[in-house]
Amino acid sequence: MSAPEALVERARVTLDSLTSDPNFSWLKNYLKYARGVLIVPQFLKGGFIIGGSGGSGVFLAREPQTGRWSEPVFYTLVGASIGLQIGANAAEVLLMVRTERGVEAFYSSTFKLGGDAAVAVGPVGMSMEGATPHNLSADILSFAKAKGLYAGLSLEGSVLRVRSDWNQLYYGKAVGPMDILIQKAVSHPRSAPLQQRLEAIAAGR
């Protein structure tokens, strides 16, 4: 199994880890309204980049009319000084993209959260199941889990960069976000378990 294939499988495991946790019931219940998700199985504080944080993840967009999820695009999420306020060195991270503007930001090879797309911390806690997000203007809501702690990861100012090398390795040819998300020019059989799990959660299963 290649590194990109392993990351897709780890993303599925991370998705299950978050959505099976009662503290992320809001995320699970409102995933059906998402326009896309970025899943980072291991977001590291320090060591990844001196004085910073980062991790690799996959982004999938949801077709509003059909509810089908796209093939994954590989990204690196880097924060120059954001750190983990939740008191841990590593976290599972999911970004729920709520708007078309948020999805369009992922068409670029590089973009900044809070600049090209507004980001806010998503509702977390068992009492938040039916809550309204505190920042309705945000294009993206972030969710993080580390060592039993559930909040405090600020992604404002962090940067997302396409991993072109991993996209090429996974799909067998050079492709960019537009090729994968809009033109649907490629596919990979190992994407199916993650796509199907996203569809099942959005359908309430």
Side-chain angles (χ1 to χ4, degrees):
M1 183 183 297
S2 68
E5 290 172 348
L7 182 60
V8 171
E9 172 58 21
R10 289 172 60 205
R12 185 192 61 78
V13 173
T14 296
L15 176 67
D16 280 338
S17 171
L18 293 176
T19 57
S20 64
D21 189 322
N23 284 283
F24 293 93
S25 58
W26 191 95
L27 168 64
K28 181 178 182 180
N29 292 338
Y30 284 82
L31 192 65
K32 60 188 174 187
Y33 301 115
R35 299 299 303 271
V37 293
L38 176 79
I39 305 170
V40 181
Q42 189 176 43
F43 186 87
L44 298 172
K45 175 183 179 181
F48 185 89
I49 290 177
I50 295 174
S53 308
S56 293
V58 293
F59 174 76
L60 297 87
R62 187 180 68 86
E63 172 56 50
Q65 283 72 37
T66 65
R68 299 295 299 273
W69 291 83
S70 72
E71 291 286 330
V73 185
F74 295 87
Y75 287 87
T76 297
L77 174 62
V78 179
S81 60
I82 57 181
L84 290 171
Q85 286 82 48
I86 51 181
N89 291 322
E92 299 171 301
V93 173
L94 185 148
L95 302 185
M96 176 194 283
V97 182
R98 304 175 59 244
T99 67
E100 185 62 25
R101 178 173 181 260
V103 172
E104 289 174 354
F106 281 87
Y107 298 161
S108 304
S109 59
T110 302
F111 71 95
K112 181 180 289 187
L113 292 171
D116 300 300
V119 62
V121 177
V124 173
M126 287 180 280
S127 64
M128 299 298 292
E129 182 171 339
T132 299
H134 63 282
N135 191 339
L136 289 174
S137 65
D139 300 296
I140 298 171
L141 295 177
S142 67
F143 299 85
K145 177 181 178 181
K147 295 183 178 180
L149 301 171
Y150 302 102
L153 177 60
S154 173
L155 294 173
E156 186 81 21
S158 56
V159 175
L160 276 157
R161 297 192 181 99
V162 171
R163 294 208 61 170
S164 299
D165 54 339
W166 280 32
N167 286 323
Q168 181 168 354
L169 182 59
Y170 189 71
Y171 294 111
K173 61 180 180 179
V175 286
M178 296 288 284
D179 301 313
I180 300 167
L181 300 174
I182 300 298
Q183 298 178 18
K184 299 177 173 57
V186 289
S187 63
H188 194 295
R190 288 192 180 271
S191 305
L194 176 56
Q195 293 167 319
Q196 291 165 1
R197 190 69 193 111
L198 282 164
E199 289 176 14
I201 294 170
R205 301 195 299 271

